[in-house]
């Protein structure tokens, strides 16, 4: 039986992924590693620690006889700009620790890259798998570095590490984090708490996005695909929907016609403008059968219901 360690278990992706992995492989086989944002109501095996502490990570791997790691711990784009040194330390040195431990213990690894690996010299539309990667944020720089490190560890040491370039991921189990795309989650809190929201991006800032359930399904599918199907060892382009704040607001207004939205773009708008609008993810579709289920309409309904239920607790 697999024994899986999830780092960043209480972050945006981890909060959904851990539950899904528990359902699939049993609560006793999933070890959730958290640090500052541990959820008190969590049920399962919980460990506290820092991915920058390699010795502590090694001890955990031995204690639980870990066979797979979903290494999610990391800073996002906005958080990274606030603390660039910390972003490098956690995102790059933390990943290197995990890859070294994977090499020594024959562990399979998932690690998320991001659309933030792209930059102003990347085409804006239908970005191909292999393209210019010149990001302008430290978060993006850490993701390009991480992608190359993953490919190096695969080619040089045979580490079975797999990765996706996540678009903006929208879920409701975790509190929204310090990312640029996260306006698409914050907006539902604005709706349900004040019937109003001030958006930090321009109304026409189109970005690649995905509902969390699709992201979790794709992540597990990538990890379960036979090794010979994985032709990309940097990170796969991975996409579902693309929308602007105005298009999301139009969807929300189908549920709440009186919702008031204003726009006050700040430095996050520059980050959004450095990223592409649509992504060509045909490699993921061809190699291991990626297919999303949620369009903007289904995603809006799911986020609305999920955040409403959460706030009612
Ligand atoms: N959601 C991320 C961010 O905005 C993109 O990977 O930082």
């Amino acid at each position: 039986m697999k024994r899986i360690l999830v780092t960043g278990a209480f972050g945006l992706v981890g909060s959904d992924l851990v539950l899904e992995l528990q359902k699939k492989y049993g609560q006793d086989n999933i070890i959730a590693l958290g640090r500052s944002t541990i959820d008190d109501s969590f049920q399962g095996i919980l460990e506290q620690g820092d991915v920058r502490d390699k010795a502590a990570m090694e001890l955990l791997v031995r204690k639980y006889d870990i066979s797979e790691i979903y290494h999610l711990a990391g800073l996002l784009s906005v958080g990274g700009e606030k603390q660039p040194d910390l972003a490098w330390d956690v995102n790059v040195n933390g990943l290197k620790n995990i890859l070294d431990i994977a090499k020594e213990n024959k562990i399979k690894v998932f690690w998320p890259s991001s659309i933030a690996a792209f930059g102003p010299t990347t085409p804006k539309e239908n970005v191909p798998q292999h393209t210019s990667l010149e990001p302008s944020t430290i978060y993006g720089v850490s993701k390009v570095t991480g992608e190359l490190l993953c490919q190096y560890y695969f080619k040089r040491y045979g580490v079975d590490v797999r990765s996706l370039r996540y678009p903006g991921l929208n879920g409701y189990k975790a509190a929204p984090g310090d990312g640029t795309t996260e306006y698409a989650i914050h907006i539902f809190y604005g709706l349900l708490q004040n019937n109003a929201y001030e958006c930090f991006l321009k109304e026409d800032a189109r970005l690649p996005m995905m509902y969390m359930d699709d992201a979790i399904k794709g992540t597990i599918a990538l990890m379960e695909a036979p090794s010979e199907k994985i032709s990309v060892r940097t990170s796969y382009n991975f996409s579902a929907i693309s929308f602007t704040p105005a298009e999301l607001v139009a969807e929300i207004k189908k549920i709440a016609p009186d919702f008031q939205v204003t726009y006050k773009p700040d430095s996050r708008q520059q980050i959004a403008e450095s990223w592409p609008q649509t992504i060509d993810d045909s490699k993921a579709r061809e190699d291991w059968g990626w297919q999303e289920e949620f369009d903007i309409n289904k995603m809006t309904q799911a986020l609305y219901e999920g955040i409403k239920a959460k706030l009612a607790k």
Side-chain angles (χ1 to χ4, degrees):
M1 185 40 109
K2 291 177 206 272
R3 306 220 71 199
I4 302 176
L5 173 66
V6 182
T7 75
F10 299 91
L12 188 63
V13 177
S15 301
D16 279 82
L17 182 69
V18 168
L19 291 175
E20 204 48 42
L21 291 173
Q22 284 180 332
K23 260 192 246 160
K24 219 170 152 54
Y25 301 114
Q27 218 177 67
D28 295 345
N29 293 309
I30 311 301
I31 290 79
L33 181 74
R35 206 165 84 86
S36 47
T37 56
I38 292 168
D39 176 355
D40 293 339
S41 62
F42 177 72
Q43 293 189 336
I45 305 175
L46 172 65
E47 290 280 352
Q48 247 177 303
D50 188 326
V51 296
R52 292 173 297 170
D53 184 346
K54 188 175 174 207
M57 293 302 109
E58 265 169 337
L59 277 179
L60 272 185
V61 160
R62 296 223 181 90
K63 177 174 171 189
Y64 293 104
D65 196 15
I66 296 296
S67 55
E68 288 185 15
I69 301 177
Y70 287 74
H71 175 46
L72 307 177
L75 277 77
L76 289 177
S77 59
V78 181
E81 289 314 297
K82 288 179 192 157
Q83 298 183 85
D85 292 342
L86 182 67
W88 178 267
D89 203 15
V90 175
N91 292 13
V92 178
N93 296 333
L95 171 62
K96 183 158 186 306
N97 284 343
I98 297 295
L99 290 173
D100 281 329
I101 292 170
K103 175 180 88 178
E104 286 145 24
N105 297 276
K106 301 222 171 318
I107 294 170
K108 190 172 178 180
V109 178
F110 172 81
W111 171 78
S113 183
S114 159
I115 51 165
F118 303 123
T121 56
T122 308
K124 283 281 168 238
E125 282 172 35
N126 275 324
V127 176
Q129 176 65 45
H130 301 287
T131 187
S132 168
L133 301 173
E134 295 185 322
S136 44
T137 60
I138 190 69
Y139 175 60
V141 172
S142 75
K143 290 301 184 189
V144 175
T145 310
E147 287 192 10
L148 294 173
L149 210 53
C150 287
Q151 180 171 253
Y152 182 79
Y153 271 67
F154 171 71
K155 288 192 171 167
R156 176 82 203 259
Y157 306 118
V159 175
D160 189 356
V161 49
R162 304 170 181 207
S163 176
L164 297 170
R165 289 174 179 151
Y166 281 152
L169 299 184
N170 301 314
Y172 59 83
K173 295 207 177 77
D178 227 353
T180 303
T181 59
E182 260 90 330
Y183 84 85
I185 309 174
H186 286 290
I187 197 168
F188 287 90
Y189 287 86
L191 168 69
L192 288 156
Q193 289 172 327
N194 305 312
N195 198 33
Y197 179 68
E198 185 177 87
C199 186
F200 55 76
L201 297 185
K202 288 185 185 165
E203 61 185 319
D204 63 352
R206 181 175 301 284
L207 287 167
M209 296 278 194
M210 186 181 288
Y211 184 55
M212 189 61 76
D213 286 19
D214 275 337
I216 300 302
K217 193 184 75 165
T219 301
I220 294 175
L222 172 68
M223 283 297 269
E224 291 193 335
S227 191
E228 62 275 14
K229 296 272 186 201
I230 310 297
S231 69
V232 175
R233 290 291 180 166
T234 49
S235 188
Y236 276 98
N237 279 6
F238 184 56
S239 131
I241 41 182
S242 281
F243 56 80
T244 64
E247 287 166 358
L248 179 58
V249 170
E251 282 300 326
I252 294 174
K253 282 193 171 180
K254 292 180 188 166
I255 303 169
D258 299 332
F259 185 36
Q260 299 295 315
V261 177
T262 50
Y263 295 90
K264 196 174 172 207
D266 60 22
S267 57
R268 289 169 278 193
Q269 173 66 24
Q270 273 95 61
I271 296 179
E273 281 173 19
S274 77
W275 293 346
Q277 301 183 343
T278 56
I279 308 285
D280 174 356
D281 63 354
S282 45
K283 265 266 164 251
R285 290 171 198 267
E286 283 160 20
D287 282 4
W288 45 274
W290 161 239
Q291 175 68 60
E292 77 279 8
E293 281 172 24
F294 283 77
D295 59 16
I296 185 173
N297 182 264
K298 265 177 87 176
M299 181 201 80
T300 303
Q301 286 174 15
L303 286 173
Y304 176 76
E305 294 303 335
I307 294 173
K308 191 169 150 188
K310 190 170 163 169
L311 289 174
K313 274 186 195 158

